[in-house]
Amino acid sequence: MPTTLAEVARLVGGEVVGDGSTPITGVAGLREAVRGELTFLSNPKYEKYVRETSASAIIVGREFAGREAPNGVALLVADDPYEAMAIAMSAFAPEGDSLGPGVHETAVVSDGARIGDRASVGAHVVVGDGAIIGDGTAIHAGSYVGRDCTIGRDVVLYPRVTVRHGSVLGDRVVVHSGTVIGSDGFGFADAGHANTKVPQIGNVVIEDDVEIGSNVCIDRATLGSTRICRGSKIDNLVQVGHNVVVGEGSILVAQVGIAGSTKIGTGVVLGGQAGLVGHIEIGDGAMVGAQAGVTKSIPAGERVSGYPARRHATAKRLYALVENLPGLAKRLRELEARLRGLEEKANNAGDPPERREA
Amino acid sequence: MPTTLAEVARLVGGEVVGDGSTPITGVAGLREAVRGELTFLSNPKYEKYVRETSASAIIVGREFAGREAPNGVALLVADDPYEAMAIAMSAFAPEGDSLGPGVHETAVVSDGARIGDRASVGAHVVVGDGAIIGDGTAIHAGSYVGRDCTIGRDVVLYPRVTVRHGSVLGDRVVVHSGTVIGSDGFGFADAGHANTKVPQIGNVVIEDDVEIGSNVCIDRATLGSTRICRGSKIDNLVQVGHNVVVGEGSILVAQVGIAGSTKIGTGVVLGGQAGLVGHIEIGDGAMVGAQAGVTKSIPAGERVSGYPARRHATAKRLYALVENLPGLAKRLRELEARLRGLEEKANNAGDPPERREA
Amino acid sequence: MPTTLAEVARLVGGEVVGDGSTPITGVAGLREAVRGELTFLSNPKYEKYVRETSASAIIVGREFAGREAPNGVALLVADDPYEAMAIAMSAFAPEGDSLGPGVHETAVVSDGARIGDRASVGAHVVVGDGAIIGDGTAIHAGSYVGRDCTIGRDVVLYPRVTVRHGSVLGDRVVVHSGTVIGSDGFGFADAGHANTKVPQIGNVVIEDDVEIGSNVCIDRATLGSTRICRGSKIDNLVQVGHNVVVGEGSILVAQVGIAGSTKIGTGVVLGGQAGLVGHIEIGDGAMVGAQAGVTKSIPAGERVSGYPARRHATAKRLYALVENLPGLAKRLRELEARLRGLEEKANNAGDPPERREA
């Protein structure tokens, strides 16, 4: 862990403006930081807080380089202050839940399983027959890796993850606690009547560099594979149905639900609590708003929201119109009154003069 | 496992058209199948893919019997191709997570518990005092069965299921990983102020042949029982509140939430992410659309959707009207302009002639 | 456990009208109770059931004191019948999942952890290095308490709870099964493209007397703390994002989702499945309706509902107007027809007389 600003600067690749020997004991937000801490400014809209911060040093971008440092606060000028802060945060991170190397004495590992070099298997872990655990992979306490699973290198399964039989995880996959990978897809014929179970004999494939949050469910395919492609990130409590494919680098925010066989493109963002029906396709780079209910396929690059989900611009216009319904109803009532007035006038105009004077 | 098409035909009860000695190594979807695999056609809309499939054989219905088999592809004619495929899928299913018979040495089973014949209790399982585990039941690794629970025969609790004290599960119940049965109902008096806990002293009863997905929560009753009736199927991440009753053969799709004391009839289907308030009744055979927000009771056989949930036909009409609000607003503006025109004409008509010519 | 009505009366602080020696074997709802059971009437709307109940005794309020007891049914008159019933329920609660004192032999407790007096650590529990478990706290089977966690006194972690490193729980906190406290916040820079992970180096703080349901996720802060303040109650399957603060005594109903950095005031109620975007503030005493989608801050005391969430009164008016859209569209069509009629009349009126007669 670095102890001075100069050491942090060396680590993150930036230059100190001010006193490099300033002691740094941790990192914090601009408004929360106290003396001895390092903070950062990445969003110009928070620049006003720079003058108020109690931090000892601030990571700033190049555009800030010529500016005067606030009284007694040193600057660390970096090309990308956000990235610099991320590196500094990692350097000052408290020690997390870690595992010693090797297999814990309380773990139950099948003789038919293969555990890679430098891999760690924690307390009360179960590893099934035929499972392969890659080099450097850490399987934390209470996790379960079923029969014939293949787990790549440098994977982390945090405590109490369940990976059911035949699942395949690539390299550097991270799975948080309580998540279940490879439970049966929800397939019942004649729903609401006989509810006959359709066997679910496929598996789940999680490609490299995917991170999955807590208490997520990813069901195995009926036939073939449910697949989460390289670099996608899944937040907590998300439901991924059988035979779903999530393309590369997509983002699924918390509590999203995707019904069976839907295909998500690359670089898609699904907002929190959004729901997608089955058997549709979400084009590359599409964005689905929080809580949206997607009932049909979405072209690449489109942004949708609401229920049923429509183009976001349309949805916003419709919400504004709904908001204006009281005004619209009022205008309609006024029109009706004015029309009635005109009709009476017109009727009177057609009357013989003597009646008009009555 | 069968190895030829003739063997599969014997197993599923169908007839081969073509070469019965065709080797079969697995099953797959029509478009995904490769040489050596068996596939099936149950939906006529996919008939076009029959000509393109690389499968070695296709299960088809009787109506297909007279038709010519595609070049080099054998047919397996069955009365119910879907059911035949389900049987074939089970035959070719990869070996799943299984348990040896008896109690694993790392399991902690109370002396006061009773474990049935041919039952399996996996690694790190805990079975509380007074619990009864039925014959042939399999309790997978890391699951918890609390004090005085009664679990029926041939039940499967997959890894890391929690069944809290006093719960009753019938025969052939299946529960997937991470699910919690029998945690306290959410009962607090004077909500938002004192938040005084109301004791939750009832239990949960799960009847025969119910299947429950992953990371589901079914809360114990305040008094009496929360009950899931025979043959119902519950998808992942569903919330069932205290004192809820789900009738026979109902289907709860992923992420559904049911508040306390609501009664669901038989053969009801609740779409994904639907939410139901407490203390209402959903009639037999009713269908609730995905994401619907149900705020009052629904008669038997009714289909509802949207928020607040209305009859589906009404909801669709309203959505169409909302969609047309821009047009409606435009027509209103036009009416206003035309009416203004008429009013001016009418006013002018009433003016004395000399002014009109000004 | 009390065995007669007189004993129950002494326990709950009320007076018997009728036979105090009436044997009481349990408690149940007014309609479900059978002979030998005690029930209660707190809501006058259920008074009709008093005459039909099979219970042997009924807890009633003072306003009922002068009234005649139904035939053969004794009364227990209490100042607060609801509170009296809660006490009686606790007295008759079946024995729950309990733990012997001390550390179970299958638990794995780090030498560097400190376990308080009268604390219980159940089977297969893991307690990390530097963790502190308070006096009288019960950690049930299969739970995980990570490195450097601080757990207060008389806390209950039910089976299979995960508390990740550095989390702080106050006194008398209750956490139900499957819940995950302190997994990484969902922070990725350049979402949908590079998806670069932002380190999550903060923690979670749960204050005294908080109760958390099953399969809940509370993420650690990026920097600083995610905080659930004193006396708040969280239902099952709720998502609390990083750096969220939930004020004192608030209620989060099942399946609520709160995105990062949002601040919830004191005494707030969030209805089931409600979703809140990040970086907003919900004022003290505000109420958010079930399934509402909250997209901006809400003032104290306000009640909102719908998507996007609006003041509840406004939302109800808008829903009524949407419901009336068919009528509004019809009135518009009628206006158009009448206006057309008037316009034709007006045009004709302007025509020379000879053409009019054509």
Side-chain angles (χ1 to χ4, degrees), chain A residues 172-227:
Chain A
R172 297 171 302 281
V173 168
V174 174
V175 186
H176 288 273
S177 299
T179 283
V180 179
I181 294 172
S183 50
D184 280 358
F186 195 65
F188 296 94
D190 203 15
H193 302 279
N195 293 345
T196 312
K197 171 133 184 156
V198 178
Q200 304 289 312
I201 71 169
N203 75 342
V204 174
V205 176
I206 312 282
E207 296 185 355
D208 297 347
D209 300 305
V210 167
E211 181 159 348
I212 300 172
S214 296
N215 286 340
V216 167
C217 298
I218 302 178
D219 280 350
R220 69 176 56 247
T222 310
L223 288 167
S225 299
T226 303
R227 182 177 292 268

Side-chain angles (χ1 to χ4, degrees), chain C residues 216-238:
Chain C
V216 167
C217 298
I218 302 178
D219 281 350
R220 71 175 55 245
T222 309
L223 288 168
S225 299
T226 303
R227 182 175 294 266
I228 312 295
C229 296
R230 183 187 298 262
S232 281
K233 310 295 179 182
I234 299 181
D235 200 353
N236 304 334
L237 291 164
V238 166

Side-chain angles (χ1 to χ4, degrees), chain A residues 31-97:
Chain A
R31 277 172 287 182
E32 295 80 19
V34 296
R35 192 109 210 110
E37 287 182 321
L38 173 69
T39 188
F40 80 127
L41 175 72
S42 68
N43 190 333
K45 113 178 173 204
Y46 295 125
E47 198 173 319
K48 57 185 171 187
Y49 298 116
V50 165
R51 249 136 266 288
E52 301 165 14
T53 188
S54 303
S56 292
I58 309 176
I59 299 180
V60 296
R62 292 279 163 212
E63 71 283 5
F64 210 93
R67 313 269 282 279
E68 205 183 336
N71 190 27
V73 179
L75 298 183
L76 196 170
V77 183
D79 289 337
D80 180 343
Y82 201 84
E83 192 195 353
M85 185 63 176
I87 297 171
M89 283 167 72
S90 294
F92 284 101
E95 193 168 1
D97 295 322

